[in-house]
Amino acid sequence: MAAHQQIPPPATLDPAGMRDPTRADAPFRTVPAVAPLSGQDRSILPDETERSLEGCAVRDLISVRHAGVGDLLHAYAAGTITPSDVLSALRIAINEDASGRDAILARVPGADEAAAVSTRRWQTGTARLLEGIPFGIKDIIDVAGTLVTSGSMFTGDRIARDDAPVVAALRAAGAIPFVMTATTEFATGSPFNPRYGPVANPWDATRWTGGSSTGSGAALAARLLPLALGTDTGGSIRVPSCWCGTTGLKPSRERVSRAGVAPLSWTLDHVGPMARSAADIAASFPVMTALFDAGLNAECEGLRHGAADVAGLRIGVPCGWFTDQVSSDVLFNWRAALTVFETLGCQLVPMPQIDVEPLHKAGWTILLSELATYHEERIDHTALFDAGLVHRLRQGMEIRASDYGRALQMRLEAQETVLAAMAGVDLMITPGLGGEAGRLDTMSVDVDGRPIPFQEIISRNTMLFDLTGFPALMLPSGVGKHGLPTGIQLVGRPLDDGLCLRAGVAFQAATDHHGALPPRLEVFV
């Protein structure tokens, strides 16, 4: 696990006190009465047609390490392994793997006790929906009784008082908060975190994972966890998912509660799941949502069992902004993915070009302005900050109030523009990031031999969907010329998260890109 540097800041910051201005509107919102999602009465039975971990034991570290959410649930139901065994095996992996030393920051107290409870529940037939599934939590999301630092010197040795609602919801469904995963400082710094250091990409230690959910992406790729939580403000779930060859969902805006999460931008922040497959996200996502949605629950229940018919879907194929600054191998893999969807019975529909550039700039204006609102008072202590955060903080402090206001007004324009372009299609599929994982030494991405700075690539195809709040799912699409993962992004209309997952499950059933391993792990399979 990452080393903990102790350099006391002038005043310890508790992110729980960083107020979200949108909370002032809460008394004027109405919340429909809904039925809670119940895992108590659900039986999870092994399906003979699906993979299980029969014969697996704790000594068989590799089988456990490579098991996803669905694999573990089937193995638990079959009685071939217990949650306590799984935690023991994953701890061995974390202790022995290089990614365990930079992606994992701290253990969550009480995990062993929770695993013992889960083991008894499986034995007594009272298992809940995600009983015994260990998950990682990005180090800006509160977990009761746990060191949660936001990757910053300013937070000191802060112990969170309560679970964030998303953590509490997963815990209530039987999942086990297991470890805290690394982040860039306050989810906006550079790769070189001042408190814990950088998180290397498990595919190539000279490359970055992408941010800001760095540890969650790396831990999933290194097969140290089956499930993790991330946050996404400009692409911070989808970027590490793309560069680490895993799967990540930025949900529809506010579908998952942001309470108990250190804020970066109250306008753009999203909380969501990261896993190794869309099916694993479908198994876990419904319990995370702030409000119960019977339609989402029913659709994801079908996806848990492999039902993913996408025949007849109209897939929007964008051009211009989304494909302009993208390497030829990323484009090749994107086009190959579109062909897969055609073979699954989908119709490809060319989309009109969207003028994304002003909308992209508006997203960054909002992010930087709101970052400055939260952290301007600490600007005199730049030696304690990550250099990348300081650069963005100074940018935010120079933005005029009128420019910020106009950027906020453009959110509606962005939504209307994207919806108009998607008229007549069910989903849009874009290339993921413009190139394979960027180099840590140059902080640049290779786009057909041209080194492009991180800032110009990382959020280019993702920020628009934080601005609009539309759901976006990042999936592996193969590897590029350097042998590193590339990705595609499935984008839906508001609240079409389930449709994105259905298309993702169908694509991954027809391909095996999500099963690819970092080279150093292939020898163990």
Side-chain angles (χ1 to χ4, degrees):
M1 291 185 287
H4 177 202
Q5 299 181 30
Q6 292 187 348
I7 303 177
T12 300
L13 169 66
D14 185 352
M18 299 165 67
R19 303 297 298 275
D20 177 353
T22 66
R23 301 290 178 201
D25 297 329
F28 306 101
R29 298 187 181 121
T30 58
V31 179
V34 294
L37 180 62
S38 173
Q40 297 276 1
D41 303 322
R42 299 283 299 280
S43 61
I44 306 173
L45 301 176
D47 185 331
E48 293 180 359
T49 65
E50 296 193 46
R51 290 186 301 138
S52 69
L53 297 179
E54 291 190 26
C56 184
V58 66
R59 65 179 178 272
D60 190 358
L61 166 63
I62 303 306
S63 293
V64 174
R65 185 169 174 177
H66 291 275
V69 173
D71 297 323
L72 290 176
L73 291 175
H74 285 291
Y76 293 156
T80 57
I81 198 167
T82 71
S84 295
D85 292 338
V86 169
L87 259 61
S88 297
L90 292 181
R91 283 204 184 97
I92 293 171
I94 289 169
N95 289 338
E96 294 182 350
D97 193 279
S99 292
R101 293 188 286 275
D102 57 14
I104 307 298
L105 302 184
R107 296 175 181 173
V108 174
D112 287 328
E113 293 80 359
V117 170
S118 290
T119 296
R120 287 194 296 272
R121 280 182 169 272
W122 280 108
Q123 292 168 346
T124 59
T126 58
R128 296 162 290 183
L129 189 64
L130 294 175
E131 197 68 67
I133 298 298
F135 67 100
I137 305 99
K138 184 178 181 177
D139 188 39
I140 66 170
I141 302 173
D142 279 358
V143 183
T146 303
L147 181 69
V148 183
T149 71
S150 300
S152 177
M153 301 289 191
F154 286 94
T155 55
D157 288 332
R158 173 183 178 269
I159 303 297
R161 186 181 64 182
D162 302 304
D163 282 341
V166 64
V167 174
L170 285 165
R171 198 193 291 266
I176 301 171
F178 182 40
V179 292
M180 303 302 296
T181 60
T183 178
T184 60
E185 186 174 18
F186 291 111
T188 193
S190 76
F192 301 99
N193 182 276
R195 182 163 182 167
Y196 297 110
V199 178
N201 195 308
W203 287 77
D204 179 343
T206 69
R207 308 282 182 140
W208 194 31
T209 59
S212 61
S213 303
T214 54
S216 291
L220 288 165
R223 302 311 195 252
L224 305 180
L225 294 169
L227 179 67
L229 290 175
T231 65
D232 196 306
T233 306
S236 297
I237 286 172
R238 292 161 290 160
V239 171
S241 295
C242 182
W243 277 358
C244 293
T246 59
T247 302
L249 174 68
K250 184 205 74 66
S252 296
R253 172 74 177 164
E254 301 289 10
R255 195 142 206 190
V256 177
S257 173
R258 295 179 292 115
V261 181
L264 166 56
S265 164
W266 59 83
T267 299
L268 303 176
D269 288 349
H270 297 70
V271 180
M274 303 170 68
R276 296 200 291 267
S277 71
D280 282 352
I281 290 179
S284 54
F285 179 58
V287 308
M288 302 181 190
T289 56
L291 295 175
F292 175 74
D293 183 325
L296 174 69
N297 193 49
E299 179 150 34
C300 287
E301 177 64 23
L303 298 177
R304 287 163 50 88
H305 300 292
D309 182 11
V310 293
L313 285 185
R314 292 168 60 85
I315 302 297
V317 182
C319 60
W321 176 270
F322 297 105
T323 57
D324 283 347
Q325 195 148 274
V326 178
S327 69
S328 55
D329 43 352
V330 172
L331 289 174
F332 178 87
N333 289 345
W334 169 64
R335 294 186 182 111
L338 293 173
T339 300
V340 170
F341 279 101
E342 275 193 304
T343 66
L344 293 172
C346 299
Q347 179 182 351
L348 302 185
V349 180
M351 293 178 62
Q353 186 162 322
I354 301 172
D355 186 10
V356 177
E357 184 172 8
L359 306 177
H360 181 77
K361 289 180 177 178
W364 273 103
T365 295
I366 293 168
L367 187 155
L368 296 172
S369 298
E370 294 178 359
L371 168 69
T373 300
Y374 281 129
H375 294 291
E376 180 180 16
E377 63 189 278
R378 283 170 283 281
I379 191 63
D380 291 337
H381 304 284
T382 56
L384 294 175
F385 268 130
D386 171 86
L389 190 151
V390 171
H391 174 68
R392 288 179 172 174
L393 181 53
R394 292 194 187 281
Q395 285 181 300
M397 291 166 60
E398 295 173 359
I399 294 172
R400 298 183 303 173
S402 57
D403 291 333
Y404 170 60
R406 276 191 288 271
L408 288 175
Q409 289 178 326
M410 290 182 72
R411 293 183 65 218
L412 180 59
E413 177 186 339
Q415 292 167 345
E416 293 171 341
T417 297
V418 176
L419 285 175
M422 292 181 69
V425 303
D426 300 295
L427 293 172
M428 167 172 38
I429 300 183
T430 79
L433 272 70
E436 297 162 87
R439 299 188 61 88
L440 282 165
D441 57 354
T442 62
M443 293 181 66
S444 65
V445 179
D446 179 2
V447 178
D448 291 340
R450 294 179 296 122
I452 307 295
F454 281 175
Q455 182 70 14
E456 295 181 27
I457 290 291
I458 284 181
S459 66
R460 181 179 175 93
N461 283 0
T462 55
M463 170 62 86
L464 176 62
F465 306 111
D466 291 290
L467 184 67
T468 62
F470 292 6
L473 177 70
M474 188 69 74
L475 305 172
S477 62
V479 296
K481 64 181 179 181
H482 299 292
L484 303 173
T486 63
I488 56 170
Q489 178 178 225
L490 281 62
V491 181
R493 293 181 178 80
L495 302 182
D496 271 353
D497 309 67
L499 181 59
C500 291
L501 289 170
R502 174 152 56 100
V505 169
F507 178 75
Q508 291 182 334
T511 62
D512 194 37
H513 304 310
H514 61 293
L517 290 169
R520 63 180 170 82
L521 296 182
E522 290 178 348
V523 296
F524 299 115
V525 178

